[in-house]
Amino acid sequence: MDEPTQPADTAGPISSTVRRWRRLAVRHDLQWSELLLIALNLYGLRGNDTEGMRLRINSEDQEFMMVLPADRVTSPFSLRAHVDPSSPQHGLSELCVDGTPVAEIIEAEPGDEVRGYLRAEGTAATLQFLEDAAQGELVKHYRDLLQALSSDRNDDGTSHRFDEVMLAAIHAHDEALVVDHLKAVREAMTAEGLPESTTLGVLTPALRSREAFAELADRVGPMLVFLTTESYEDTAEVQDEQSGSGVRQSERLAEILAAAREAGHRTSFTYTVGGEPLDEMRAWLLPLAEQTTLWPSLTIHPAETPVDDSQHVAAPDERLDFFLEARSLLEQIFAPTELRPEPWRCYRGLWYRQHAGEPLDGPYV
C-alpha cells in the first residue's frame, strides 16, 4: 500500500498514527483513503468549535462531504491553511493527522444545522422537517426550500431537476403530522414541475401503522421509507397482543418495514454502530435486514461530548479496529440481500470507495 501523499514543501516524517493506521488498512484489506474517511468520522476534528463543521475534502481525486464535531481535543485530525504568499502552497488548506497532511480541504464551514442540502452530485435534495409550521403554510415552505436548493445548483435562473427528495423528520413522533408534511412535500414537488417518477423519501421514527402506509401510497405514491431506529420511541420489549409474549424491539421495527413493503414502499433504516458488542448488533439487525430493500444508513457512533466515551462499547485505543471489524460483519449480515451502499447517503458512514473488497461506484457526495 502506498504512503499517503504530501505536498512537496511539507514533506517530512510521517506521524506514528498514520503509520499505525496504514498497518490497520493492510490488515483489513482496505484502501488508505477508505480507512482515513472512517477514522475522520470516528474522531472528528481537534478544536473548540462547538457548532461542528461541514467539511468537503479531496481524497485521491474524489470529493467527499462530511458533517463533523469540531471540538474533539483528543482527535488526531486538524486543519492547516498555507497563508505565506511566498509559498508554492499558498491558499491550500489541508487535513492533517498528527501533523501529517493526508487530504486537501475544498471547503470548511462552521455549523452542522441546515434547512436543506443537496447530495448525489446535486440530484438528491434533503428537506428538514419544520414541526411548528402552520398547516396552511406547509406547501409554500417546502416549495421555498426546493427553489432555494435549485438555485444553489443552477445559478442561471433555470429550475433544477431532482431525482429524489427526502424529508428528514428524524425527531418527529406524530404519525399523522408526518403524513401531512409528506403530502405537502409531494404537492410542492408537483408545483415545482418535478414528475411523479421523482422519488419521495422520509427519514423518521413516526410511521408505523398499515393505515398510514396505505394512505401515503394512495396520496403521494410509492415512497422510500427510512425508519430511524435511534429515535424510535418504544420499550425494548413490546407485548404481542395475540400471544402476550415479549417481542424484541428489532422484530417490531422489522414488522413496521414489512407493513411499508406490503403497501408498495421501498424500505430501509438507520442504525448507529458502536453502542453494543458485535454479537448483539448482529442479532438485532438480522430481522431488519430481511425487510430492507435499500442499503441502510449504518453510521459511526460519535461521543456525546468531547470527553464522554462511556457510550462506546470499544476502548479508545481499540475503537478504529472495532469499527473495521463491524464493517466486515455488516457486509456478511447483508450479503444475502445483494444490496450495496450508496456512499453519498451517509455523512458518517463506514463505506466510501469499496464494499466487501469490491469498488463502489459514485457519486460520493
Side-chain angles (χ1 to χ4, degrees):
M1 184 169 294
D2 295 335
E3 295 279 354
T5 57
Q6 300 183 70
D9 69 342
T10 59
I14 297 176
S15 73
S16 60
T17 303
V18 169
R19 293 187 182 279
R20 185 172 70 254
W21 288 0
R22 288 184 63 247
R23 291 193 292 269
L24 271 180
V26 171
R27 185 196 309 168
H28 291 275
D29 192 26
L30 290 182
Q31 296 177 13
W32 161 251
S33 62
E34 188 83 349
L35 182 141
L36 181 69
L37 294 165
I38 293 170
L40 180 57
N41 274 317
L42 173 59
Y43 295 114
L45 292 170
R46 187 184 308 158
N48 56 9
D49 192 337
T50 58
E51 294 184 357
M53 185 77 68
R54 295 193 298 275
L55 198 66
R56 192 182 298 269
I57 72 172
N58 184 319
S59 177
E60 297 182 358
D61 297 324
Q62 292 291 348
E63 189 174 327
F64 299 90
M65 167 69 84
M66 299 178 177
V67 178
L68 302 164
D71 56 356
R72 302 312 194 232
V73 294
T74 60
S75 171
F77 287 99
S78 62
L79 305 183
R80 179 167 66 192
H82 292 266
V83 296
D84 183 356
S86 64
S87 169
Q89 305 299 123
H90 174 63
L92 176 68
S93 295
E94 297 169 320
L95 177 70
C96 298
V97 173
D98 287 342
T100 299
V102 292
E104 178 186 352
I105 301 299
I106 299 173
E107 182 180 34
E109 295 183 357
D112 56 8
E113 294 186 4
V114 289
R115 294 175 63 207
Y117 53 87
L118 299 179
R119 300 303 303 267
E121 296 180 344
T123 63
T126 296
L127 313 180
Q128 296 293 345
F129 183 86
L130 188 63
E131 192 164 0
D132 57 355
Q135 185 70 25
E137 297 294 319
L138 288 181
V139 175
K140 180 181 183 304
H141 167 73
Y142 289 121
R143 281 197 72 179
D144 288 345
L145 275 181
L146 286 171
Q147 290 171 2
L149 292 173
S150 178
S151 64
D152 286 345
R153 187 66 183 173
N154 288 5
D155 57 8
D156 59 1
T158 62
S159 60
H160 178 68
R161 298 285 179 171
F162 299 113
D163 296 329
E164 175 181 300
V165 176
M166 179 74 71
L167 178 65
I170 297 172
H171 301 294
H173 293 275
D174 186 321
E175 184 177 63
L177 185 61
V178 172
V179 169
D180 286 342
H181 277 248
L182 287 167
K183 293 177 187 175
V185 173
R186 177 60 84 181
E187 187 174 340
M189 292 165 62
T190 300
E192 288 302 303
L194 296 178
E196 291 185 5
S197 59
T198 306
T199 297
L200 172 59
V202 64
L203 277 158
T204 187
L207 299 177
R208 60 187 69 192
S209 71
R210 296 181 184 276
E211 293 77 14
F213 291 128
E215 182 179 359
L216 287 169
D218 179 59
R219 297 292 298 276
V220 306
M223 289 181 48
L224 172 56
V225 178
F226 260 89
L227 188 61
T228 55
T229 65
E230 298 91 340
S231 52
Y232 178 78
E233 287 187 346
D234 209 340
T235 57
E237 296 289 322
V238 182
Q239 292 299 314
D240 184 279
E241 294 181 358
Q242 294 181 349
S243 65
S245 61
V247 179
R248 292 177 62 91
Q249 186 190 57
S250 63
E251 293 175 347
R252 170 58 183 148
L253 295 169
E255 291 171 358
I256 295 173
L257 294 179
R261 290 183 66 181
E262 290 171 6
H265 305 296
R266 289 187 291 158
T267 55
S268 196
F269 64 94
T270 67
Y271 174 80
T272 302
V273 181
E276 55 191 350
L278 296 182
D279 56 344
E280 293 182 18
M281 177 188 76
R282 181 181 183 277
W284 202 90
L285 288 176
L286 282 173
L288 280 78
E290 295 177 357
Q291 301 299 334
T292 301
T293 67
L294 187 78
W295 183 269
S297 181
L298 302 167
T299 66
I300 292 173
H301 195 317
E304 291 299 310
T305 70
V307 296
D308 181 12
D309 285 333
S310 62
Q311 294 188 350
H312 282 278
V313 68
D317 58 348
E318 300 173 353
R319 194 158 297 155
L320 182 55
D321 198 40
F322 170 86
F323 280 101
L324 298 180
E325 291 179 8
R327 170 183 157 122
S328 296
L329 177 57
L330 289 162
E331 290 174 348
Q332 297 171 23
I333 292 171
F334 288 93
T337 70
E338 298 186 354
L339 301 176
R340 290 167 64 83
E342 296 174 285
W344 60 269
R345 283 194 180 273
C346 189
Y347 274 129
R348 194 179 289 116
L350 282 163
W351 292 267
Y352 288 93
R353 289 175 175 270
Q354 63 184 112
H355 169 263
E358 298 293 331
L360 284 172
D361 296 328
Y364 302 103
V365 179

